[in-house]
């Protein structure tokens, strides 16, 4: 059974940066494409970025040029480097597999962008 623990969120000013981490447990996780998702209060969860096992990545249009997803398979960890953060990026950020059925969601990590 795969489990995820997200960390690295916090309070940052507009234009600032944060790096999120997601540590996964389980023997099969390394074979999956992984993604970052976010959910703001009163809104649906949305996809942010994804990376496959070989390190190839893609991202949603609203974060292109600002966010970079990467992974370290030896550490069972996926990262999200977030630069040029804006207030609309405020949300709880989660990681999970990108394609197929989702595993159990972790607790997420809160990102708040405010001046």
């Amino acid at each position: 059974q795969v489990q995820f623990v997200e960390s690295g969120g916090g309070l940052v000013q507009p234009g600032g940066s944060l790096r999120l981490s997601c540590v996964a447990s389980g023997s099969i996780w390394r074979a999956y494409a992984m993604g970052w998702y976010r959910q703001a209060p009163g809104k649906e969860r949305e996809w942010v970025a994804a990376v496959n096992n070989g390190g190839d990545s893609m991202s949603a249009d609203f974060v292109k040029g600002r966010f970079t997803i990467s992974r370290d398979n030896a550490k069972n960890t996926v990262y999200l480097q977030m630069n040029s953060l804006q207030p609309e990026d405020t949300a709880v950020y989660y990681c999970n597999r990108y394609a197929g059925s989702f595993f159990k969601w972790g607790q997420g990590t809160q990102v708040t962008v405010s001046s």
Side-chain angles (χ1 to χ4, degrees):
Q1 184 65 42
V2 177
Q3 295 179 315
F4 306 113
V5 179
E6 300 93 342
S7 63
L11 176 64
V12 65
Q13 296 180 3
S17 299
L18 287 172
R19 190 180 76 160
L20 308 184
S21 298
C22 170
V23 179
S25 64
S27 300
I28 309 177
W29 174 81
R30 281 81 63 187
Y32 298 143
M34 291 294 299
W36 281 98
Y37 304 82
R38 70 186 187 186
Q39 186 170 27
K43 296 185 177 181
E44 298 295 320
R45 181 182 287 112
E46 63 183 351
W47 171 73
V48 175
V51 59
N52 67 14
N53 192 50
D56 300 319
S57 64
M58 63 180 71
S59 61
D61 288 342
F62 56 81
V63 301
K64 284 184 177 177
R66 301 190 298 122
F67 293 6
T68 303
I69 187 171
S70 61
R71 67 193 295 165
D72 186 337
N73 289 334
K75 298 180 179 179
N76 284 358
T77 302
V78 61
Y79 304 96
L80 185 67
Q81 177 65 49
M82 305 186 295
N83 300 323
S84 301
L85 283 162
Q86 300 299 130
E88 53 266 36
D89 296 316
T90 296
V92 178
Y93 285 70
Y94 304 87
C95 63
N96 213 307
R97 63 181 302 179
Y98 172 66
S101 299
F102 291 124
F103 292 104
K104 182 181 179 181
W105 295 94
Q107 82 286 352
T109 184
Q110 175 72 51
V111 172
T112 303
V113 185
S114 176
S115 60

